[in-house]
Amino acid sequence: MQILNHLDKIKQTPIYVIEEEKLIKNCELLARIKEESKSKILLALKAFSFTRALGLLSKYLDGATSSGLWESKLAKEFMGKEIHTYSPAFKDDEIDEILFLSNHIVFNSLNQLKSYKEKALNAKVSIGLRINPEFSSAPKDLYNPCARFSRLGVLAKDLSEEDLDGVDGLHFHALCEESAQSLELVLKELDKKFKPFLKKMKWLNFGGGHHITKQGYDTKKLIELCKSYSQKYSVQIYLEPGEAVAWQCGSLVSSVLDIIENEKKIALLDTSNEAHMPDTVIMPYTSELANARIVRDDLKEGEFSYLLGGISCLAGDIMGEYAFKKELKKGDKLVFLDQAHYSIVKNTTFNGVRLPSFGFLTKDNKLEIVKTFSYEDFKRRN
Ligand SMILES: *Cc1c(COP(=O)(O)O)cnc(C)c1O
């Protein structure tokens, strides 16, 4: 991470720092996949709506996938290009503006389709329907849109060909941090359950959850799947990754405020897992830290280990146990890695904790402080 060369310039922590060079690297891979597979790739804004980088992303990608009015407005303002809006349920008082902003609209149920189809047709917005393939290898029910009782998408048994009058495309989202092999399994189910419907469509959206930019991802297989599906059903394929776009593109820098001891050494930081890295609590996982090792077994010779704890009052505000090559001291800066996606968009002022600033490290190595937050922001939200 380039940020490690700029820590001296950071006067105020916590701060998320996004690295342009890393984003470009991810985008170049996505652009190659687009080109070779002839599919279109959209940024899922819910994972990463960092406005400073959206102009850059829109140069490489075909546009954005939005989850409702606010994200569609953001996409219009900062990205341009295509806007595809999907929400589990749209609201009467927002639908006109959403249709005005969107190129595609994806409905979650036959009720919603019926309610808004005329409006969408009049607005000349391409209409899609989310389907539930009832198959997913998602790691956990929280991230499994195909689990029993799912509210996301229409089941094959509830769909008839007349329902799809006026509908141009089908959309599914069934993956979470998954491989091209997982996609292949979902597509097999799709073939089994939705074949007669697929034949009538102009486009097919494979949703997100493709871990494309992770090392070892089988891009060749993804390209083949997109191509073969596109040919088989004469459809335009869309992919809408979120996490994969900003994967490993930014970090959260925090400072050590105090060091105490209770059987183990504990370093208290000016950040919080609950408020600033919520996925480490929800997913859950332990964040990697620059220049340190997550302690999962015995310490090695010459290592110093610390529990890293947050600034909130939550007992569980512990990032994990880490081993360092030297002892920590007050004022040291610690860099949590891969905190771009699903961190900035999810942070909170829980416990009155200061919101991290946003930094952007440009490709010519300049650190911009893009946004800072103050007590006024906290007050307005409470
Ligand atoms: C969350 C979501 C995405 C993006 O998922 P990632 O796991 O971040 O790639 C895409 N489409 C829909 C409908 C989603 O809900």
Side-chain angles (χ1 to χ4, degrees), residues 310-338:
I311 187 91
S312 82
C313 298
L314 181 74
D317 195 349
I318 299 287
M319 289 76 176
E321 186 169 3
Y322 295 84
F324 298 80
K325 293 264 156 58
K326 52 182 191 197
E327 284 188 278
L328 289 182
K329 55 182 193 318
K330 183 174 169 178
D332 281 351
K333 294 202 180 89
L334 300 185
V335 180
F336 291 94
L337 301 177
D338 198 24

Side-chain angles (χ1 to χ4, degrees), residues 44 46-47 65 86 130 171 173 175 207-210 240-244 342:
K46 89 169 191 279
T65 270
Y86 159 78
R130 178 162 176 171
H171 171 287
H173 171 69
L175 305 175
H210 317 276
E240 44 182 34
E243 177 161 358
Y342 293 113

